[in-house]
Amino acid sequence: MFPHYRNAHLKKKGYTIRYVEFNDIIQPNSALAEGSIDVNIFQHTAYLENFKKENKLDLTEVIKVPTAPMGVYSDKHDSLDDLKTGDKIAIPNDPPNIARALRILEQLGWVQLKPDYKPISVSERDIISRKVNFTFVEVEQAQLPRTIPDVDYALVNGNFILSSGRKLSSSLYLENPPFEYQNLVAVRTKDKDKPFVKDIMEAYKSPEFQKIIETDPSFEGFYHPDYFQQ
């Protein structure tokens, strides 16, 4: 994420950078663990921790990065107040992002969750009641933008909204992502103290990078990590 804004800082230090694109959200962590890439930047903490546990991978988060929040999108409705019985709501189909979507729906008052739910693992089983009787449609994250015309509302991660050509500002609601849903830089745990990792962290914290993120209109709506200067 944001590669060309980071390049100048890293190239000055003598790095040659090669970017690898993946067509699903499984491959980047697997490629990192096996050593075919050295860093990945695409996921949030909840997803990384769940993936590591399920696949027994030794990966580590090293720094948060500006994050495009999950939002609520609709091509059929102009307002969240239009929610009615029988509506279809598309949400991600992976557990960490199902939890994320349900927490947003709770904030909107569309669902009531059990008081003692676990934030990262909350699921439909934790729903006590719904504002109206709507139906969930679970979809793989990357495919969610394509479903927007076919459902009433869709909860979509910001990076997939942007890659689909839509803007965050087209949302009906944007979350203020908690720590576990802020995007990050991940590396192999054995590499976390190596110079190249420290230089990547320095590049993200550089005034030049921060200025771009704060002034470039294409990053409007992004959440900024705590280390950004206020």
Side-chain angles (χ1 to χ4, degrees), residues 68-176:
M70 181 179 277
V72 182
Y73 297 85
S74 178
D75 285 347
K76 295 183 177 181
H77 305 285
D78 296 324
S79 171
L80 298 173
D81 295 332
D82 293 343
L83 179 70
K84 64 183 183 304
T85 297
D87 278 355
K88 294 181 179 180
I89 300 178
I91 60 174
N93 67 354
D94 60 288
N97 283 296
I98 290 175
R100 185 180 188 179
L102 292 180
R103 291 170 69 180
I104 290 175
L105 295 181
E106 182 182 48
Q107 293 169 14
L108 296 177
W110 289 11
V111 300
Q112 181 182 358
L113 300 173
K114 295 177 182 177
D116 58 347
Y117 73 79
K118 296 180 180 179
I120 296 180
S121 61
V122 60
S123 70
E124 288 189 54
R125 294 189 300 271
D126 296 301
I127 297 176
I128 297 174
S129 63
R130 308 183 187 206
K131 185 175 181 179
V132 298
N133 188 21
F134 55 77
T135 302
F136 285 120
V137 179
E138 294 189 10
V139 181
E140 196 276 325
Q141 285 189 59
Q143 303 305 317
L144 275 165
R146 297 182 184 181
T147 71
I148 295 175
D150 301 319
V151 298
D152 292 283
Y153 297 94
L155 283 85
V156 190
N157 288 5
N159 56 314
F160 292 118
I161 282 294
L162 295 172
S163 64
S164 73
R166 294 176 182 256
K167 296 182 178 180
L168 298 179
S169 59
S170 68
S171 66
L172 298 176
Y173 178 84
L174 279 180
E175 70 175 344
N176 183 16

Side-chain angles (χ1 to χ4, degrees), residues 42-65:
F42 78 100
Q43 65 194 320
H44 52 61
T45 301
Y47 183 81
L48 173 63
E49 293 303 318
N50 185 73
F51 195 93
K52 284 167 52 178
K53 181 178 179 180
E54 289 188 346
N55 296 277
K56 297 180 173 58
L57 301 182
D58 195 11
L59 305 179
T60 295
E61 170 182 337
V62 293
I63 191 173
K64 295 293 189 187
V65 299

